[in-house]
Amino acid sequence: MTATGRMDFRGGVHPPERKSLSADAAIEVLPTPPEVRIPLVQHIGAPCESLVKPKTPVAMGEMIGKAGGFVSAPVHASIDGTCGMADVTTLPNARHVAVIPITAGPQTLSGQGLWDAIFGGEWPTRHLEDHAPQQIVEAIQAAGIVGQGGAAFPTHVKLVRNETKPIDTLLVNGCECEPYLTADHRMMIQLPGPIISGALLAAQAADAKQIIIAIEDNKPVAIDNLRRAVRGTKIQVVVLPTHYPMGGEKMTIRAALGRVVPTGGLPLDVGVVVINVGTAAAIARAVLRGKPLTHRVVTVTGSGVARPRNLLAPIGVSYKTLIEHCGGLTDQAARVLSGGPMMGLAIGNLDTPVTKGTSGITVLTSQEARKAEELQCIRCGRCVDVCPVGLVPTKIALACRFKDWDLARRYHLDACIECGCCAYICPSGIPLVQLMRMGKAEIPRKKK
């Protein structure tokens, strides 16, 4: 089977990128913060069970939360220190979750030493087939790895071999389509070694014979870097057009392979498993070095931040600490988003902790965040034209607004990927994606 498909998908939009704010900023190691607050649930699935009590000393990498089921991932201390009294925080998705605070102690690793410990040294591309599939999956599970592209689904669940739906292709997603964000971009430039090792290991676990790294054509340096790095391996680098929401699993599979994931289906229904480039690097570290996921790369950007940067940050550090390290908010700052402007969620509390799925923090100015006056739908159909999964957003959104959940389901609300294309293009300023998010949150509550 070839690696090329249609090379694009139906619908989508082309919003202004604004990646130049941080694209050339090399990843910096954030100085050890005075405190981190580790959420006991950072993914889709069951919450963790705390393994520590107040005043318990912990070392970086020590497990402090045990996975609550198969679709769950343990959490680990991201700094050396002492545990405090368990508390509760609200994540950007409005979910209230328990957190374990850790006050920093004398840190054994920081700066270049921390960088070397996480990403330094050689990353092999040969003889990785010596690692048994089950051993790879167990190492990933023990390391608490979840998808770093935003969905945060436990990675070991994706890679377990499925006898009824075998996988033939591993797709490594380097399509960082969300405007402003550049964390994946910088990883592909600076860290090709662990990404490639992790991709080979993930393919070995899933029994995928074909490996593709998909990158958008607005990242020429990353493309050249990875093409050089994959020489001598079976990995192919496929360049896709810059087209939002390229990077969504279904869109990237369609563009790279020409396969269509059915409505309500999963990538494994068409023989594919998709992982993010940051996830691949974490897999390499877990399997080859036995290290858990304690840090991730986060972009802090936007015209509302004094000095946009890409930071290697410990899980659990507050958004406030990251923003202050980047020079703080500008006078024009008006809205802080977890993620980018298309799919990100506005937050009102900068004490919010970074989780394994936090790819970026975007701060918009009052001019950028200005909300258009909402008018009546003029039935122009532009939201239908841009919806990449073929929905009729206005009908679903109106069903959600009037709490007609049965009608929303009949219009396939669950198939919405919340990319925001419909709200972006709507000339009447109707918050279509926000209404659909509200509906997706409300329907499960009605079932209880």
Side-chain angles (χ1 to χ4, degrees):
M1 189 169 291
T2 64
T4 55
R6 292 180 55 195
M7 307 304 288
D8 209 345
F9 57 87
R10 172 198 177 279
V13 295
H14 294 85
E17 293 186 12
R18 302 303 307 277
K19 289 180 182 282
S20 58
L21 290 169
S22 59
D24 294 330
I27 302 168
E28 293 180 34
V29 179
L30 182 76
T32 304
E35 182 190 64
V36 296
R37 299 165 73 232
I38 311 285
L40 283 174
V41 58
Q42 304 183 34
H43 51 70
I44 297 170
C48 292
E49 174 189 347
S50 175
L51 298 175
V52 295
K53 296 180 179 178
K55 300 184 181 179
T56 302
V58 291
M60 188 184 88
E62 184 175 335
M63 186 184 293
I64 59 173
K66 178 182 176 183
F70 180 66
V71 184
S72 182
V75 294
H76 304 77
S78 57
I79 61 173
D80 298 335
T82 304
C83 296
M85 184 75 72
D87 197 359
V88 175
T89 192
T90 303
L91 298 181
N93 61 4
R95 188 172 183 181
H96 302 292
V97 301
V99 293
I100 297 176
I102 301 175
T103 302
Q107 195 73 5
T108 54
L109 283 175
S110 61
Q112 186 64 43
L114 180 62
W115 176 269
D116 292 342
I118 294 178
F119 294 124
E122 298 294 323
W123 295 94
T125 58
R126 293 186 174 184
H127 307 301
L128 297 181
E129 63 276 10
D130 294 341
H131 294 268
Q134 187 58 32
Q135 290 176 334
I136 296 172
V137 170
E138 289 173 358
I140 293 169
Q141 186 174 16
I145 297 173
V146 304
Q148 294 192 27
F153 191 79
T155 302
H156 65 275
V157 180
K158 279 188 174 184
L159 297 179
V160 170
R161 294 191 179 189
N162 188 319
E163 299 299 330
T164 58
K165 295 182 178 180
I167 297 299
D168 62 60
T169 301
L170 175 81
L171 188 55
V172 182
N173 192 350
C175 296
E176 193 171 32
C177 63
E178 177 75 74
Y180 288 83
L181 304 185
T182 56
D184 290 350
H185 181 198
R186 292 307 313 181
M187 287 198 73
M188 290 187 286
I189 291 174
Q190 296 179 240
L191 299 164
I195 291 172
I196 292 168
S197 291
L200 292 167
L201 288 163
Q204 172 74 3
D207 197 27
K209 307 305 181 191
Q210 178 175 237
I211 306 173
I212 294 173
I213 300 178
I215 312 177
E216 287 174 293
D217 59 10
N218 63 346
K219 303 176 180 64
V221 178
I223 292 167
D224 290 344
N225 210 32
L226 281 175
R227 278 180 168 163
R228 284 194 298 272
V230 301
R231 287 172 186 164
T233 74
K234 61 180 180 180
I235 300 175
Q236 302 171 68
V237 175
V238 173
V239 181
L240 301 177
T242 301
H243 181 188
Y244 183 85
M246 189 73 78
E249 287 188 337
K250 294 180 180 180
M251 282 79 254
T252 309
I253 291 171
R254 178 68 176 264
L257 294 161
R259 303 182 195 177
V260 179
V261 180
T263 301
L266 297 170
L268 65 83
D269 292 321
V270 292
V272 183
V273 64
V274 183
I275 61 172
N276 170 266
V277 291
T279 310
I283 290 172
R285 190 165 182 262
V287 177
L288 300 175
R289 301 182 180 178
K291 298 296 184 183
L293 180 59
T294 57
H295 291 68
R296 68 153 298 149
V297 180
V298 180
T299 301
V300 183
T301 187
S303 300
V305 172
R307 295 190 297 274
R309 297 180 176 180
N310 296 292
L311 302 172
L312 179 65
I315 304 299
V317 66
S318 71
Y319 283 32
K320 180 180 180 181
T321 299
L322 294 184
I323 291 171
E324 287 179 347
H325 182 75
C326 295
L329 301 174
T330 66
D331 292 340
Q332 293 76 36
R335 183 179 299 172
V336 179
L337 302 173
S338 177
M342 294 300 289
M343 296 187 75
L345 299 168
I347 64 166
N349 186 348
L350 295 184
D351 290 330
T352 301
V354 165
T355 67
K356 298 173 184 178
T358 305
S359 56
I361 300 169
T362 306
V363 185
L364 303 178
T365 64
S366 53
Q367 185 176 7
E368 292 169 325
R370 187 177 63 241
K371 185 178 179 181
E373 180 185 2
E374 183 176 343
L375 304 172
Q376 285 192 336
C377 175
I378 58 173
R379 302 182 186 279
C380 64
R382 296 178 70 183
C383 61
V384 179
D385 293 339
V386 300
C387 179
V389 290
L391 302 178
V392 184
T394 48
K395 290 189 174 181
I396 305 174
L398 287 175
C400 293
R401 172 167 279 175
F402 293 105
K403 303 186 187 306
D404 190 339
W405 308 125
D406 289 337
L407 184 60
R409 278 193 288 258
R410 288 205 297 276
Y411 287 139
H412 303 291
L413 169 63
D414 290 342
C416 172
I417 62 172
E418 303 179 26
C419 64
C421 289
C422 54
Y424 176 82
I425 205 71
C426 178
S428 294
I430 300 172
L432 297 167
V433 70
Q434 292 86 349
L435 288 167
M436 288 189 276
R437 282 177 180 160
M438 183 262 299
K440 291 169 81 171
E442 283 294 325
I443 288 176
R445 294 178 192 167
K446 298 298 178 186
K447 291 180 179 177
K448 294 181 179 177

